[in-house]
Amino acid sequence: LRNCRICKKEAIVYINYANISLCSEHFIEFYERKIFKILKQLDLRNKCILVALSGGKDSVALLFALYKLQAIFNYKLKVLHIDLGIGDYSKRSLEVSAKLTEKLNIPLIVFDLKKEFGWSIHDAVKIIRKPACSICGLVKRWVMNKVAIENECDYVATGHNIDDVNTFVLKAMLTYRPEDIIRLPRPILKPNLEVKLAGRIRPQFYATERENLLYTLVNGLDTVSIECPLARDAKSKKYRQIWEEIDKVNPVGKINFVNTIIKIIDKLDTGEMSDIKLCKICGYPTYSRDICTFCSMRMRIDSKLKNEES
Ligand SMILES: [Zn+2]
Ligand SMILES: [Zn+2]
């Protein structure tokens, strides 16, 4: 490690794609500037942002950075923690989330799946024959949107990093799922309140996993270090390792990869968003079908649990 490019003090990190070494103070500045660049594309004055906080490094870094940038943009912050009911992992996640929001004095909304639905993710994965992470993702998206709308929040902010996005795209390509790429999560999705759809912001879209972790460390923030036990065998982890190899060959490759994909899909007019309706059961948005994917899954789980009771 060399000295900090800016102040010449001892560096704590080398950012390979930018070829710079930074001290902790200037790393914080570098990191927050990335978040700033995404947020400045929106007029956030007096808007409410609901931050989805799991307690992991990504969302902890996200909340802390949004908290620090609040004075510049003048938005309001609320925090949502979804209690997934996955044993000790969930207990620890709630603990970390409660502690951080208390420290920052931001209201915390806890959505407990078992209390609200009568089943947890742990129960759902035993019934639905799909990978745990995809069931969990579907439930989370529905809950985040519902809680945002009910609490008059314009946007939901989530902690996706560039490694998540790239792994998602690579996996979609290698498993021939072009529809996943067309629906690629973007840094910003504007709200459409007419159809009860809150906007989405992914402020860490261009931050790496390592940068998120480092940001929590230099700010002395506690995070959940245990991994979700249900994600243990997730295929994504294997695809993720491929990126480590690519990173050695071309450090700018990650950024170029995602920007190439975005440029291509921006040229396509998929007409996807125009076909938006309200779900006949929950009243939240659904694409093309009458009943949203979440409600269809919920009905299957509920009927299975009912059968088991009788
Ligand atoms: Zn410095
Ligand atoms: Zn529904």
Side-chain angles (χ1 to χ4, degrees), residues 223-298:
T223 58
V224 183
S225 49
I226 43 172
E227 247 179 286
C228 172
L230 298 180
R232 207 180 286 140
D233 299 313
K235 269 256 164 56
S236 307
K237 269 205 264 169
K238 289 172 192 157
Y239 287 109
R240 194 166 283 237
Q241 287 165 5
I242 299 172
W243 280 108
E244 284 168 28
E245 292 304 310
I246 295 175
D247 212 34
K248 286 178 203 157
V249 180
N250 177 4
V252 199
K254 278 183 191 176
I255 300 164
N256 287 339
F257 185 79
V258 69
N259 282 342
T260 302
I261 297 292
I262 288 180
K263 193 141 198 177
I264 293 169
I265 50 184
D266 278 349
K267 298 259 184 232
L268 304 170
D269 179 15
T270 57
E272 192 124 15
M273 300 305 273
S274 56
D275 208 14
I276 196 161
K277 298 192 236 180
L278 293 178
C279 167
K280 290 221 163 93
I281 294 177
C282 67
Y284 285 97
T286 170
Y287 302 92
S288 6
R289 293 180 225 168
D290 284 341
I291 293 172
C292 75
T293 338
F294 170 75
C295 287
S296 320
M297 184 179 83
R298 187 178 179 176

Coordinates of all heavy atoms in Angstrom, one line a residue, residues 223-298:
T223 N -22.1 -5.0 12.1 CA -22.9 -5.6 11.1 C -23.1 -7.1 11.4 O -22.4 -7.7 12.3 CB -22.2 -5.6 9.7 OG1 -20.9 -6.2 9.8 CG2 -22.0 -4.1 9.2
V224 N -24.1 -7.7 10.8 CA -24.3 -9.2 11.0 C -23.2 -9.9 10.1 O -23.2 -9.7 8.9 CB -25.7 -9.6 10.5 CG1 -25.9 -11.1 10.7 CG2 -26.8 -8.8 11.1
S225 N -22.4 -10.6 10.8 CA -21.3 -11.3 10.0 C -21.7 -12.7 9.6 O -21.1 -13.3 8.7 CB -20.0 -11.2 10.7 OG -20.2 -11.7 12.0
I226 N -22.7 -13.3 10.3 CA -23.1 -14.7 10.0 C -23.9 -14.6 8.7 O -24.7 -13.7 8.5 CB -23.9 -15.4 11.1 CG1 -24.9 -14.5 11.7 CG2 -22.9 -16.0 12.1 CD1 -25.9 -15.2 12.7
E227 N -23.7 -15.6 7.8 CA -24.4 -15.7 6.6 C -25.8 -16.3 6.8 O -25.9 -17.1 7.7 CB -23.6 -16.5 5.6 CG -23.0 -15.8 4.4 CD -22.3 -16.7 3.6 OE1 -21.1 -17.1 3.9 OE2 -22.8 -17.0 2.5
C228 N -26.7 -16.0 5.9 CA -28.0 -16.6 6.0 C -27.8 -18.1 5.8 O -27.3 -18.5 4.8 CB -28.9 -16.0 5.0 SG -30.5 -16.9 4.9
P229 N -28.3 -18.9 6.7 CA -28.1 -20.4 6.5 C -28.8 -21.0 5.3 O -28.4 -22.0 4.8 CB -28.7 -21.0 7.8 CG -29.6 -19.9 8.4 CD -29.0 -18.6 7.9
L230 N -29.9 -20.3 4.9 CA -30.6 -20.8 3.7 C -29.9 -20.5 2.4 O -30.2 -21.1 1.4 CB -32.0 -20.2 3.7 CG -32.9 -20.5 4.9 CD1 -34.3 -19.9 4.7 CD2 -33.1 -22.0 5.0
A231 N -29.0 -19.5 2.4 CA -28.3 -19.1 1.2 C -27.0 -19.9 1.0 O -26.2 -19.6 0.1 CB -28.0 -17.6 1.2
R232 N -26.7 -20.8 1.9 CA -25.4 -21.5 2.0 C -25.0 -22.1 0.7 O -23.8 -22.0 0.3 CB -25.5 -22.6 3.1 CG -24.1 -22.8 3.7 CD -24.1 -23.9 4.8 NE -24.7 -23.4 6.0 CZ -25.6 -24.1 6.7 NH1 -25.9 -25.3 6.4 NH2 -26.1 -23.6 7.9
D233 N -25.9 -22.7 0.0 CA -25.5 -23.4 -1.3 C -25.9 -22.6 -2.5 O -25.9 -23.1 -3.6 CB -26.2 -24.8 -1.3 CG -25.7 -25.7 -0.2 OD1 -24.5 -25.7 0.0 OD2 -26.6 -26.3 0.5
A234 N -26.2 -21.3 -2.3 CA -26.6 -20.5 -3.5 C -25.6 -20.6 -4.6 O -24.4 -20.4 -4.4 CB -26.9 -19.1 -3.0
K235 N -26.2 -20.8 -5.8 CA -25.4 -20.9 -7.0 C -24.6 -19.6 -7.3 O -23.5 -19.6 -7.8 CB -26.3 -21.2 -8.2 CG -26.4 -22.7 -8.5 CD -25.6 -23.0 -9.7 CE -25.4 -24.5 -9.8 NZ -26.7 -25.3 -9.8
S236 N -25.3 -18.5 -6.9 CA -24.7 -17.2 -7.2 C -23.3 -17.0 -6.6 O -22.5 -16.3 -7.2 CB -25.6 -16.1 -6.5 OG -26.9 -16.2 -6.9
K237 N -23.1 -17.7 -5.5 CA -21.8 -17.6 -4.9 C -20.7 -18.1 -5.8 O -19.6 -17.6 -5.9 CB -21.7 -18.4 -3.6 CG -22.1 -17.5 -2.4 CD -21.5 -18.0 -1.1 CE -22.5 -18.9 -0.4 NZ -22.0 -19.6 0.7
K238 N -21.0 -19.2 -6.6 CA -20.0 -19.7 -7.5 C -19.8 -18.8 -8.7 O -18.7 -18.6 -9.1 CB -20.5 -21.1 -8.0 CG -20.4 -22.1 -6.9 CD -21.1 -23.4 -7.2 CE -21.2 -24.3 -6.0 NZ -22.3 -25.3 -6.1
Y239 N -20.9 -18.2 -9.2 CA -20.7 -17.2 -10.3 C -19.9 -16.0 -9.8 O -19.2 -15.4 -10.6 CB -22.1 -16.8 -10.8 CG -22.8 -17.9 -11.6 CD1 -23.9 -18.5 -11.1 CD2 -22.3 -18.2 -12.8 CE1 -24.5 -19.5 -11.8 CE2 -22.9 -19.2 -13.6 CZ -24.1 -19.9 -13.1 OH -24.7 -20.8 -13.8
R240 N -20.1 -15.7 -8.6 CA -19.4 -14.6 -8.0 C -17.8 -14.7 -8.1 O -17.1 -13.8 -8.3 CB -19.8 -14.4 -6.5 CG -19.4 -13.0 -5.9 CD -20.2 -12.8 -4.7 NE -21.6 -12.5 -5.0 CZ -22.1 -11.3 -4.6 NH1 -21.5 -10.5 -3.8 NH2 -23.4 -11.0 -4.9
Q241 N -17.4 -16.0 -7.9 CA -16.0 -16.3 -7.9 C -15.4 -16.0 -9.3 O -14.2 -15.6 -9.4 CB -15.7 -17.7 -7.5 CG -16.0 -18.0 -6.0 CD -16.0 -19.4 -5.7 OE1 -15.9 -20.3 -6.6 NE2 -16.3 -19.7 -4.4
I242 N -16.2 -16.1 -10.3 CA -15.7 -15.9 -11.7 C -15.3 -14.4 -11.8 O -14.3 -14.1 -12.4 CB -16.8 -16.2 -12.7 CG1 -17.1 -17.7 -12.6 CG2 -16.3 -15.8 -14.1 CD1 -18.3 -18.1 -13.5
W243 N -16.0 -13.5 -11.1 CA -15.7 -12.1 -11.1 C -14.4 -11.8 -10.5 O -13.7 -10.9 -10.9 CB -16.8 -11.3 -10.5 CG -17.9 -11.1 -11.5 CD1 -19.1 -11.7 -11.4 CD2 -17.9 -10.3 -12.7 NE1 -19.9 -11.3 -12.6 CE2 -19.1 -10.5 -13.3 CE3 -16.9 -9.5 -13.3 CZ2 -19.4 -9.8 -14.5 CZ3 -17.2 -8.9 -14.5 CH2 -18.4 -9.0 -15.1
E244 N -14.0 -12.6 -9.5 CA -12.7 -12.3 -8.9 C -11.6 -12.6 -9.9 O -10.6 -11.8 -9.9 CB -12.5 -13.3 -7.6 CG -13.3 -12.8 -6.4 CD -13.4 -13.9 -5.3 OE1 -12.5 -14.7 -5.2 OE2 -14.4 -13.9 -4.6
E245 N -11.8 -13.6 -10.7 CA -10.8 -13.8 -11.8 C -10.7 -12.7 -12.8 O -9.7 -12.3 -13.2 CB -11.1 -15.2 -12.5 CG -10.9 -16.4 -11.6 CD -9.5 -16.5 -11.0 OE1 -8.5 -16.4 -11.7 OE2 -9.4 -16.6 -9.7
I246 N -11.9 -12.3 -13.2 CA -12.0 -11.2 -14.2 C -11.3 -9.9 -13.7 O -10.6 -9.2 -14.4 CB -13.5 -11.0 -14.6 CG1 -14.1 -12.2 -15.3 CG2 -13.6 -9.7 -15.5 CD1 -15.5 -12.1 -15.7
D247 N -11.6 -9.7 -12.4 CA -11.0 -8.5 -11.7 C -9.5 -8.4 -11.8 O -8.9 -7.4 -11.9 CB -11.5 -8.5 -10.3 CG -11.7 -7.1 -9.7 OD1 -12.1 -6.3 -10.5 OD2 -11.4 -6.9 -8.5
K248 N -8.9 -9.6 -11.8 CA -7.4 -9.7 -11.9 C -7.0 -9.3 -13.3 O -5.9 -8.7 -13.4 CB -6.9 -11.1 -11.5 CG -7.0 -11.4 -10.0 CD -6.5 -12.8 -9.8 CE -7.1 -13.4 -8.5 NZ -7.1 -14.9 -8.5
V249 N -7.7 -9.7 -14.3 CA -7.4 -9.4 -15.7 C -7.7 -8.0 -16.0 O -6.9 -7.3 -16.7 CB -8.1 -10.4 -16.6 CG1 -7.7 -10.2 -18.1 CG2 -7.8 -11.8 -16.2
N250 N -8.9 -7.5 -15.6 CA -9.3 -6.2 -16.0 C -10.1 -5.5 -14.9 O -11.3 -5.8 -14.7 CB -10.1 -6.2 -17.3 CG -10.7 -4.9 -17.7 OD1 -10.4 -3.9 -17.0 ND2 -11.5 -4.9 -18.7
P251 N -9.5 -4.7 -14.1 CA -10.1 -4.1 -12.9 C -11.3 -3.2 -13.3 O -12.2 -3.1 -12.4 CB -9.1 -3.3 -12.2 CG -7.8 -3.7 -12.8 CD -8.0 -4.3 -14.2
V252 N -11.4 -2.7 -14.5 CA -12.5 -1.8 -14.8 C -13.6 -2.7 -15.5 O -14.7 -2.2 -15.8 CB -12.1 -0.7 -15.8 CG1 -13.1 0.4 -15.9 CG2 -10.7 -0.2 -15.4
G253 N -13.3 -4.0 -15.6 CA -14.3 -4.9 -16.3 C -15.7 -4.9 -15.7 O -16.7 -4.9 -16.4
K254 N -15.8 -4.9 -14.3 CA -17.1 -4.9 -13.7 C -18.0 -3.8 -14.0 O -19.1 -3.9 -14.3 CB -16.9 -4.8 -12.1 CG -16.5 -6.1 -11.5 CD -16.4 -5.8 -10.0 CE -15.8 -7.0 -9.2 NZ -15.6 -6.7 -7.8
I255 N -17.4 -2.6 -14.1 CA -18.1 -1.4 -14.4 C -18.5 -1.3 -15.8 O -19.6 -1.0 -16.2 CB -17.3 -0.1 -14.0 CG1 -16.9 -0.1 -12.5 CG2 -18.0 1.2 -14.4 CD1 -15.8 0.8 -12.1
N256 N -17.5 -1.7 -16.7 CA -17.8 -1.8 -18.1 C -18.9 -2.8 -18.5 O -19.7 -2.6 -19.3 CB -16.6 -2.1 -18.9 CG -15.6 -0.9 -18.9 OD1 -16.1 0.3 -18.7 ND2 -14.4 -1.1 -19.2
F257 N -18.9 -3.9 -17.8 CA -19.8 -5.0 -18.0 C -21.3 -4.5 -17.8 O -22.1 -4.6 -18.6 CB -19.5 -6.2 -17.1 CG -20.4 -7.4 -17.4 CD1 -20.1 -8.2 -18.4 CD2 -21.4 -7.7 -16.5 CE1 -20.8 -9.4 -18.7 CE2 -22.2 -8.9 -16.7 CZ -21.9 -9.7 -17.8
V258 N -21.5 -3.9 -16.6 CA -22.9 -3.5 -16.3 C -23.3 -2.3 -17.1 O -24.4 -2.3 -17.6 CB -23.0 -3.2 -14.7 CG1 -22.3 -2.0 -14.3 CG2 -24.5 -3.1 -14.4
N259 N -22.4 -1.4 -17.4 CA -22.7 -0.3 -18.3 C -23.0 -0.7 -19.7 O -23.9 -0.1 -20.4 CB -21.6 0.8 -18.2 CG -21.7 1.6 -17.0 OD1 -22.7 1.6 -16.3 ND2 -20.6 2.3 -16.6
T260 N -22.4 -1.7 -20.2 CA -22.6 -2.3 -21.5 C -24.1 -2.8 -21.6 O -24.8 -2.5 -22.5 CB -21.6 -3.4 -21.9 OG1 -20.3 -2.9 -21.8 CG2 -21.9 -4.0 -23.3
I261 N -24.4 -3.6 -20.6 CA -25.8 -4.2 -20.5 C -26.8 -3.1 -20.4 O -27.8 -3.1 -21.1 CB -25.9 -5.1 -19.3 CG1 -24.9 -6.3 -19.4 CG2 -27.3 -5.6 -19.1 CD1 -25.3 -7.3 -20.5
I262 N -26.6 -2.1 -19.6 CA -27.6 -1.0 -19.5 C -27.7 -0.3 -20.8 O -28.9 0.0 -21.2 CB -27.1 0.0 -18.3 CG1 -27.3 -0.7 -17.0 CG2 -28.0 1.3 -18.4 CD1 -27.0 0.1 -15.8
K263 N -26.6 0.0 -21.5 CA -26.7 0.7 -22.8 C -27.5 -0.2 -23.8 O -28.3 0.4 -24.5 CB -25.3 0.9 -23.3 CG -25.2 1.8 -24.5 CD -24.0 2.8 -24.4 CE -24.2 4.0 -25.3 NZ -23.1 4.9 -25.1
I264 N -27.3 -1.4 -23.8 CA -28.1 -2.3 -24.7 C -29.6 -2.3 -24.4 O -30.4 -2.1 -25.2 CB -27.5 -3.7 -24.7 CG1 -26.1 -3.7 -25.3 CG2 -28.4 -4.7 -25.5 CD1 -25.3 -5.0 -25.2
I265 N -29.9 -2.5 -23.1 CA -31.3 -2.6 -22.8 C -32.1 -1.3 -22.9 O -33.2 -1.3 -23.1 CB -31.6 -3.4 -21.4 CG1 -30.8 -2.8 -20.3 CG2 -31.5 -4.8 -21.6 CD1 -31.1 -3.6 -19.0
D266 N -31.3 -0.2 -22.7 CA -31.9 1.1 -22.9 C -32.4 1.3 -24.4 O -33.3 2.1 -24.6 CB -31.0 2.2 -22.5 CG -31.0 2.5 -21.0 OD1 -31.9 1.9 -20.3 OD2 -30.1 3.2 -20.5
K267 N -31.8 0.6 -25.3 CA -32.2 0.7 -26.7 C -33.4 -0.1 -27.0 O -34.0 0.1 -28.0 CB -31.0 0.2 -27.6 CG -29.7 0.9 -27.5 CD -29.6 1.9 -28.6 CE -28.2 2.6 -28.5 NZ -28.3 4.0 -28.6
L268 N -33.7 -1.1 -26.1 CA -34.9 -1.9 -26.4 C -36.1 -1.2 -25.8 O -36.1 -0.7 -24.7 CB -34.8 -3.2 -25.7 CG -33.5 -4.1 -26.0 CD1 -33.5 -5.3 -25.0 CD2 -33.6 -4.6 -27.4
D269 N -37.2 -1.2 -26.5 CA -38.4 -0.7 -25.9 C -39.3 -2.0 -25.6 O -39.9 -2.5 -26.5 CB -39.2 0.2 -26.8 CG -40.4 0.7 -26.2 OD1 -40.6 0.5 -25.0 OD2 -41.3 1.3 -26.9
T270 N -39.2 -2.5 -24.4 CA -39.9 -3.7 -24.1 C -41.4 -3.6 -23.9 O -42.1 -4.6 -23.9 CB -39.2 -4.4 -22.9 OG1 -39.3 -3.5 -21.8 CG2 -37.8 -4.7 -23.2
G271 N -41.8 -2.4 -23.6 CA -43.2 -2.1 -23.4 C -43.7 -2.8 -22.1 O -44.9 -2.9 -21.9
E272 N -42.8 -3.3 -21.3 CA -43.2 -4.1 -20.1 C -44.0 -3.3 -19.1 O -45.0 -3.8 -18.6 CB -41.9 -4.6 -19.5 CG -42.1 -5.6 -18.4 CD -41.2 -6.8 -18.7 OE1 -40.3 -6.7 -19.6 OE2 -41.5 -7.9 -18.2
M273 N -43.5 -2.1 -18.8 CA -44.1 -1.3 -17.8 C -45.6 -0.8 -18.1 O -46.3 -0.5 -17.3 CB -43.3 0.0 -17.5 CG -41.9 -0.4 -17.0 SD -41.9 -1.5 -15.6 CE -42.0 -0.3 -14.3
S274 N -45.9 -0.8 -19.4 CA -47.2 -0.3 -19.8 C -48.3 -1.3 -19.4 O -49.5 -0.9 -19.3 CB -47.2 -0.1 -21.3 OG -46.9 -1.3 -22.0
D275 N -48.0 -2.5 -19.2 CA -49.0 -3.6 -19.0 C -49.2 -3.8 -17.5 O -49.5 -4.8 -17.0 CB -48.5 -4.9 -19.6 CG -49.7 -5.8 -20.0 OD1 -50.8 -5.2 -20.0 OD2 -49.4 -7.0 -20.2
I276 N -49.1 -2.7 -16.7 CA -49.2 -2.8 -15.3 C -50.6 -2.7 -14.8 O -51.4 -1.9 -15.3 CB -48.3 -1.7 -14.6 CG1 -48.0 -2.0 -13.2 CG2 -48.8 -0.3 -14.8 CD1 -46.7 -1.3 -12.7
K277 N -51.0 -3.6 -13.9 CA -52.4 -3.6 -13.3 C -52.3 -3.7 -11.8 O -51.2 -3.9 -11.3 CB -53.2 -4.9 -13.8 CG -53.4 -5.0 -15.3 CD -54.4 -6.1 -15.5 CE -53.8 -7.1 -16.4 NZ -54.7 -8.2 -16.7
L278 N -53.5 -3.7 -11.2 CA -53.5 -3.9 -9.7 C -54.0 -5.3 -9.5 O -55.0 -5.8 -10.0 CB -54.4 -2.9 -9.1 CG -53.9 -1.4 -9.1 CD1 -54.9 -0.5 -8.4 CD2 -52.5 -1.3 -8.5
C279 N -53.3 -6.0 -8.6 CA -53.6 -7.4 -8.2 C -55.0 -7.4 -7.6 O -55.3 -6.6 -6.7 CB -52.5 -7.9 -7.3 SG -52.9 -9.4 -6.4
K280 N -55.7 -8.4 -8.0 CA -57.1 -8.6 -7.5 C -57.2 -8.9 -6.1 O -58.2 -8.8 -5.4 CB -57.9 -9.7 -8.4 CG -58.1 -9.2 -9.8 CD -59.5 -9.6 -10.2 CE -60.0 -8.8 -11.4 NZ -59.6 -9.5 -12.7
I281 N -56.1 -9.5 -5.5 CA -56.1 -9.9 -4.1 C -55.5 -8.8 -3.2 O -56.2 -8.3 -2.3 CB -55.4 -11.2 -3.9 CG1 -56.2 -12.3 -4.6 CG2 -55.2 -11.5 -2.4 CD1 -55.6 -13.7 -4.6
C282 N -54.3 -8.4 -3.5 CA -53.6 -7.4 -2.5 C -53.8 -6.0 -3.0 O -53.5 -5.1 -2.1 CB -52.1 -7.8 -2.4 SG -51.2 -7.5 -3.9
G283 N -54.1 -5.7 -4.2 CA -54.3 -4.3 -4.6 C -53.0 -3.6 -5.0 O -52.9 -2.4 -5.2
Y284 N -51.9 -4.4 -5.0 CA -50.6 -3.8 -5.4 C -50.3 -4.2 -6.8 O -50.9 -5.1 -7.4 CB -49.5 -4.2 -4.4 CG -49.6 -3.4 -3.1 CD1 -50.3 -3.9 -2.0 CD2 -49.2 -2.1 -3.0 CE1 -50.5 -3.2 -0.8 CE2 -49.3 -1.4 -1.9 CZ -50.0 -1.9 -0.8 OH -50.2 -1.1 0.3
P285 N -49.3 -3.5 -7.5 CA -49.1 -3.8 -8.9 C -48.7 -5.2 -9.3 O -48.0 -5.9 -8.6 CB -47.9 -2.8 -9.3 CG -47.5 -2.1 -8.0 CD -48.4 -2.5 -6.9
T286 N -49.1 -5.5 -10.5 CA -48.8 -6.8 -11.1 C -48.7 -6.6 -12.6 O -49.3 -5.7 -13.1 CB -49.9 -7.9 -10.8 OG1 -49.6 -9.0 -11.6 CG2 -51.3 -7.4 -11.1
Y287 N -47.8 -7.4 -13.2 CA -47.6 -7.2 -14.7 C -48.3 -8.3 -15.4 O -48.2 -9.5 -15.1 CB -46.1 -7.2 -15.0 CG -45.3 -6.2 -14.3 CD1 -44.8 -6.4 -13.0 CD2 -45.3 -4.9 -14.8 CE1 -44.1 -5.4 -12.3 CE2 -44.6 -3.9 -14.1 CZ -44.0 -4.2 -12.8 OH -43.4 -3.2 -12.1
S288 N -49.1 -7.9 -16.3 CA -49.9 -8.8 -17.2 C -51.0 -9.7 -16.5 O -52.1 -9.9 -17.0 CB -49.1 -9.7 -18.2 OG -47.8 -9.6 -17.9
R289 N -50.6 -10.3 -15.4 CA -51.6 -11.2 -14.7 C -52.6 -10.5 -13.8 O -52.3 -9.4 -13.4 CB -50.8 -12.3 -13.9 CG -50.0 -13.2 -14.7 CD -49.3 -14.2 -13.8 NE -47.9 -14.3 -14.2 CZ -47.0 -14.9 -13.5 NH1 -47.3 -15.4 -12.3 NH2 -45.8 -15.0 -14.0
D290 N -53.7 -11.2 -13.4 CA -54.7 -10.6 -12.5 C -54.2 -10.7 -11.1 O -54.6 -9.9 -10.3 CB -56.0 -11.3 -12.7 CG -56.7 -10.9 -14.0 OD1 -56.3 -9.8 -14.5 OD2 -57.6 -11.6 -14.4
I291 N -53.5 -11.7 -10.8 CA -53.0 -11.9 -9.4 C -51.5 -11.9 -9.4 O -50.9 -12.5 -10.3 CB -53.6 -13.3 -8.9 CG1 -55.1 -13.2 -8.7 CG2 -52.9 -13.7 -7.5 CD1 -55.7 -14.5 -8.4
C292 N -50.9 -11.1 -8.5 CA -49.5 -11.0 -8.5 C -48.8 -12.2 -8.1 O -49.4 -13.1 -7.5 CB -49.1 -9.8 -7.7 SG -49.1 -10.1 -5.9
T293 N -47.5 -12.3 -8.5 CA -46.7 -13.5 -8.2 C -46.6 -13.8 -6.7 O -46.7 -14.9 -6.2 CB -45.2 -13.3 -8.7 OG1 -45.2 -12.3 -9.7 CG2 -44.7 -14.6 -9.2
F294 N -46.6 -12.7 -5.9 CA -46.5 -12.9 -4.4 C -47.8 -13.5 -3.9 O -47.8 -14.5 -3.2 CB -46.3 -11.6 -3.7 CG -46.5 -11.7 -2.2 CD1 -45.5 -12.3 -1.4 CD2 -47.6 -11.2 -1.6 CE1 -45.7 -12.5 -0.1 CE2 -47.8 -11.4 -0.2 CZ -46.9 -12.0 0.5
C295 N -49.0 -13.0 -4.3 CA -50.2 -13.5 -3.9 C -50.4 -15.0 -4.3 O -51.0 -15.8 -3.5 CB -51.4 -12.7 -4.3 SG -51.5 -11.1 -3.4
S296 N -50.0 -15.3 -5.5 CA -50.1 -16.7 -6.0 C -49.3 -17.6 -5.1 O -49.8 -18.7 -4.7 CB -49.6 -16.9 -7.4 OG -50.0 -15.8 -8.2
M297 N -48.1 -17.2 -4.7 CA -47.3 -18.0 -3.8 C -47.9 -18.1 -2.4 O -48.0 -19.2 -1.8 CB -45.9 -17.5 -3.8 CG -45.0 -18.3 -3.0 SD -43.3 -17.6 -2.9 CE -43.5 -16.5 -1.6
R298 N -48.4 -17.0 -2.0 CA -49.0 -16.9 -0.6 C -50.2 -17.9 -0.5 O -50.3 -18.6 0.5 CB -49.4 -15.5 -0.3 CG -49.9 -15.3 1.1 CD -50.3 -13.9 1.3 NE -50.7 -13.7 2.7 CZ -51.0 -12.5 3.2 NH1 -50.9 -11.4 2.5 NH2 -51.5 -12.4 4.5

